[in-house]
Amino acid sequence: MQPIERPRYSCMLGGALATISSLPGVVPIIHGAQGCGGGLSNAYYLGGHLGSGYCGGVSIPSSNIGEKEVIFGAAKRLETQINSTLEVMKGDLFLVLSACMTDIIGEDIESVIRNIKNPDNVPVRYIDTGGFQGKAYDGYDEVFSSLFEDYIPKAKKDEKLVNILGQVPGYDPYFRGNLEEIARLLRELGLKVNTFLTPDQSHENILSAGGAVLNIVVSPLYGIKAARTAKRVHDIDYLVTDLPIGAEATKKFLYSIGSALSLSIGDIKKLVDKEKKSYYGYLDRIADYVADTDTQSYAVVIANSTDAFAYANYLENEIGYIPRYIFITDHLTQEKEELLTSKLDEYDFGKKPELIFEQDTTAIRRFIEQRHPYEESEDYVDRLSPLLVLGSSIDYKLAQEYNGVLLPVSYPVFNIILNKGFAGFKGAGALFESILNTQLTREVKKVV
């Protein structure tokens, strides 16, 4: 197996920890080797400085097994850790997560949980998240699938309640802002929205999820497993849609939700018209600058499968840039690669961008360098200039080689991200503003 230089995801356990650490009232307990918790908290920290929260990061309880437990068994060590965590930490739900080592030695974690001392009868559940079984995005899906399977109670349907799935904390760095903007728009239509992962949510939002009438999955791949579990266990229909980035994409998104829930077409049109008036009203203030300085450029998108097409579509069909290449950085099966390849045909590109599945950072840069040698005269090669890179912070060198600019939008991101997002109408404005400011900063540096 060929090594991956500077990968853009962690293991399955890392995605599960990032997800649980963002869920209100949920406390993770790692049953694994020393170092798993600290190393993985450092990993998802790079999703916009995603910190520990109440019980995440280096505060995550862990059994910290070593050589002795690997040889003789780690059940007693896990029992001690669960009991001490219940005594020290307050939570509505405790989730025990397996790591690679405990999966390999075949620990019977569920039997340990059944035998713990739990006088307050706080729910304790087990999720199998041995890192070698998948990547961070799989960990997200496993957490929500498990919650829908055996924790979220069955409830009477609330015709106004929907759940949003598909945004993975940290590994989708702008997850909070994206979820908040989507929820804002849906609430404008009179819906109740469970985002689960934003600060306005409580544990009650998790418990109420079984009463939803629709799970909205804003990713072509992630969140679907959880939605299928919810359909089987709670009879919740689900809709798989794009992450709505841009005015037209958001309009399409809202009408698709309206169709799925039989909402008033008039109410949707009224909302879209109001949001467009505000959105284009702000853009009108910078129209002269955009026209006079010819800001449009070539673009390369380097992101996961949730975000990549949405960004490329926005660049061409909303602001007139030319996306030449789309790099999908997930670890995908051939079946999923084929699904995404066919999905690209659904977008209205003037000239379809070339789609490449690549996880290795140096390989991505080398791919572009071979097609666009930056040392050669532009009389002989396509210089791919000016260039905008929508990628990760580790793609800075690529942008620099082509005298281009980088806007970090995908994991890992070294910038601090609080609640900024690029979804919806407000997100589209924030994205265009960020792109223009990134380009403007480069020009200012040339003259000062």
Side-chain angles (χ1 to χ4, degrees):
M1 185 175 182
Q2 195 169 8
I4 299 172
E5 188 262 341
R6 285 183 289 176
R8 298 161 190 258
Y9 49 77
S10 73
C11 67
M12 187 175 186
L13 176 59
L17 289 174
T19 301
I20 294 170
S21 297
S22 299
L23 288 172
V26 184
V27 176
I29 302 173
I30 302 171
H31 187 34
Q34 301 174 18
C36 282
L40 290 171
S41 68
N42 288 336
Y44 66 70
Y45 181 78
L46 296 176
H49 290 253
L50 183 65
S52 61
Y54 171 66
C55 192
V58 295
S59 301
I60 296 175
S62 174
S63 60
N64 286 334
I65 66 170
E67 183 176 328
K68 175 183 175 182
E69 288 80 15
V70 170
I71 296 173
F72 296 106
K76 187 62 179 176
R77 178 70 195 92
L78 175 60
E79 181 181 347
T80 300
Q81 184 60 59
I82 295 175
N83 284 326
S84 62
T85 303
L86 290 172
E87 181 180 348
V88 173
M89 304 301 300
K90 292 182 179 180
D92 298 296
L93 171 65
F94 292 77
L95 292 178
V96 180
L97 308 175
S98 59
C100 296
M101 190 59 67
T102 48
D103 270 11
I104 290 171
I105 64 177
E107 282 284 288
D108 188 355
I109 295 175
E110 290 181 321
S111 68
V112 175
I113 293 174
R114 285 194 296 269
N115 294 325
I116 62 170
K117 300 172 184 177
N118 190 357
D120 296 327
N121 201 30
V122 180
V124 181
R125 300 287 189 273
Y126 159 59
I127 304 179
D128 184 6
T129 54
F132 57 81
Q133 298 184 67
K135 305 306 177 188
Y137 305 98
D138 302 307
Y140 165 90
D141 247 338
E142 200 63 34
V143 168
F144 274 101
S145 294
S146 178
L147 291 175
F148 278 115
E149 183 75 53
D150 63 6
Y151 179 68
I152 294 172
K154 294 180 180 176
K156 181 181 178 181
K157 296 302 178 189
D158 183 339
E159 297 301 319
K160 294 293 185 180
L161 181 62
V162 297
N163 304 318
I164 305 177
L165 300 171
Q167 285 281 280
V168 182
Y171 299 94
D172 290 311
Y174 295 91
F175 75 101
R176 285 199 188 100
N178 290 341
L179 289 172
E180 288 179 346
E181 171 65 358
I182 292 170
R184 181 188 71 84
L185 292 169
L186 295 180
R187 286 170 183 146
E188 287 280 332
L189 294 174
L191 297 175
K192 304 173 186 176
V193 185
N194 288 331
T195 65
F196 306 114
L197 304 168
T198 51
D200 64 312
Q201 302 282 284
S202 71
H203 199 73
E204 287 301 315
N205 292 97
I206 299 175
L207 294 175
S208 71
V213 292
L214 185 67
N215 278 323
I216 302 168
V217 185
V218 290
S219 169
L221 299 180
Y222 307 119
I224 296 177
K225 179 180 179 180
R228 287 173 176 166
T229 301
K231 174 63 177 175
R232 174 172 53 81
V233 177
H234 299 274
D235 194 29
I236 304 173
D237 290 331
Y238 64 92
L239 173 69
V240 179
T241 181
D242 290 340
L243 181 67
I245 297 180
E248 292 305 312
T250 306
K251 174 184 174 181
K252 180 180 178 182
F253 170 80
L254 291 173
Y255 275 104
S256 68
I257 302 302
S259 177
L261 295 175
S262 299
L263 301 179
S264 165
I265 298 298
D267 288 346
I268 298 173
K269 183 180 185 303
K270 184 178 178 180
L271 174 62
V272 169
D273 289 345
K274 182 185 77 168
E275 294 292 331
K276 276 191 171 183
K277 181 179 180 181
S278 174
Y279 171 64
Y280 288 114
Y282 285 112
L283 294 191
D284 183 59
R285 299 293 300 273
I286 59 170
D288 290 343
Y289 169 75
V290 172
D292 293 344
T293 57
D294 191 20
T295 60
Q296 287 87 350
S297 69
Y298 292 110
V300 173
V301 177
I302 308 171
N304 67 24
S305 55
T306 297
D307 301 335
F309 291 168
Y311 281 125
N313 180 61
Y314 170 84
L315 288 172
E316 176 161 326
N317 294 306
E318 296 270 348
I319 61 175
Y321 286 54
I322 305 173
R324 290 290 300 272
Y325 302 104
I326 300 175
F327 290 91
I328 303 290
T329 57
D330 310 13
H331 182 273
L332 301 177
T333 63
Q334 182 177 346
E335 180 183 6
K336 289 180 177 179
E337 288 185 1
E338 291 172 353
L339 184 152
L340 292 177
T341 300
S342 63
K343 183 175 176 57
L344 184 60
D345 294 330
E346 299 174 8
Y347 294 89
D348 185 22
F349 291 111
K351 181 179 181 181
K352 186 166 67 174
E354 187 172 351
L355 178 62
I356 304 99
F357 298 95
E358 182 56 71
Q359 305 163 59
D360 189 292
T361 298
T362 298
I364 291 173
R365 196 170 77 246
R366 188 181 300 121
F367 180 96
I368 295 176
E369 288 172 354
Q370 289 173 346
R371 286 158 178 75
H372 308 275
Y374 54 84
E375 303 95 341
E376 300 291 337
S377 168
E378 60 184 17
D379 293 333
Y380 302 101
V381 299
D382 182 355
R383 290 294 301 276
L384 200 65
S385 179
L387 177 64
L388 167 69
V389 178
L390 292 189
S392 161
S393 294
I394 58 179
D395 295 310
Y396 175 74
K397 187 174 181 179
L398 169 63
Q400 190 178 44
E401 286 175 346
Y402 287 87
N403 194 29
V405 295
L406 167 70
L407 178 61
V409 298
S410 61
Y411 180 88
V413 170
F414 302 156
N415 302 37
I416 293 174
I417 302 171
L418 296 178
N419 67 335
K420 189 173 186 177
F422 295 141
F425 291 97
K426 290 184 181 297
L431 179 55
F432 197 21
E433 178 185 279
S434 297
I435 290 172
L436 293 178
N437 280 333
T438 300
Q439 294 176 316
L440 184 59
T441 300
R442 178 190 58 184
E443 297 307 314
V444 169
K445 287 180 178 179
K446 293 179 180 179
V447 296
V448 298

